[in-house]
Amino acid sequence: MTTTDLEIPRPPDQVFGVLADGWSYAGWVVGATHIRDVDHFWPEVGTRIHHSVGAWPLQIEDETVVQAVDHGKSLELHAKLWPVGAARIRFDLAPTATGTRVTMTEKAVSGPGSLMPEAMQKVFLLPRNRETLKRLADLVVHGDQG
């Protein structure tokens, strides 16, 4: 499992507000290029974001499904990307004196990535996940101004 974290200078409810906006995912999730649809009750368990990954015309269309949610505290997702596989991604939010510590964990659970040793998964996932959290922070702090 690959873990990375970042402190965002905003309270957990504000950070979770961005996580709870499925339409914002293409703005901060590295690799997501287009959100085609978001289920009405997102991010309730079982709801989905229907997304595209990659550059047109070579886009792959798939979905991300909520596995668990504790509003304001955590969100666990099952992100699919056929034919590459799927990953379990979890965001945990912890209040700090100056904002929120966001911890992102990811593990490939199917497909070729799941056959790689964890150390090799980290080589690919850690830089991507650091950038994802930086983009999340920018969106939380600056919103649509950025």
Side-chain angles (χ1 to χ4, degrees), residues 6 36 86:
L6 182 69
R36 299 185 324 277

Side-chain angles (χ1 to χ4, degrees), residues 50-141:
H50 306 271
H51 55 77
S52 301
V53 176
W56 183 89
L58 303 175
Q59 286 183 323
I60 298 171
E61 295 184 350
D62 223 322
E63 64 184 18
T64 293
V65 183
V66 177
Q67 297 296 116
V69 62
D70 186 353
H71 289 272
K73 296 180 181 177
S74 65
L75 181 63
E76 185 172 317
L77 307 171
H78 181 79
K80 300 176 186 176
L81 182 60
W82 182 92
V84 177
R88 184 180 66 239
I89 303 167
R90 183 175 174 94
F91 297 91
D92 288 295
L93 311 180
T96 66
T98 58
T100 304
R101 167 97 22 218
V102 180
T103 302
M104 179 182 180
T105 56
E106 181 170 1
K107 180 177 176 83
V109 294
S110 69
S114 67
L115 302 175
M116 285 190 221
E118 284 191 28
M120 183 66 78
Q121 287 186 38
K122 286 181 183 184
V123 168
F124 292 102
L125 295 176
L126 196 56
R128 177 184 159 274
N129 291 353
R130 283 184 182 140
E131 179 63 22
T132 290
L133 289 182
K134 287 178 188 175
R135 292 179 186 188
L136 174 64
D138 287 344
L139 194 55
V140 170
V141 172

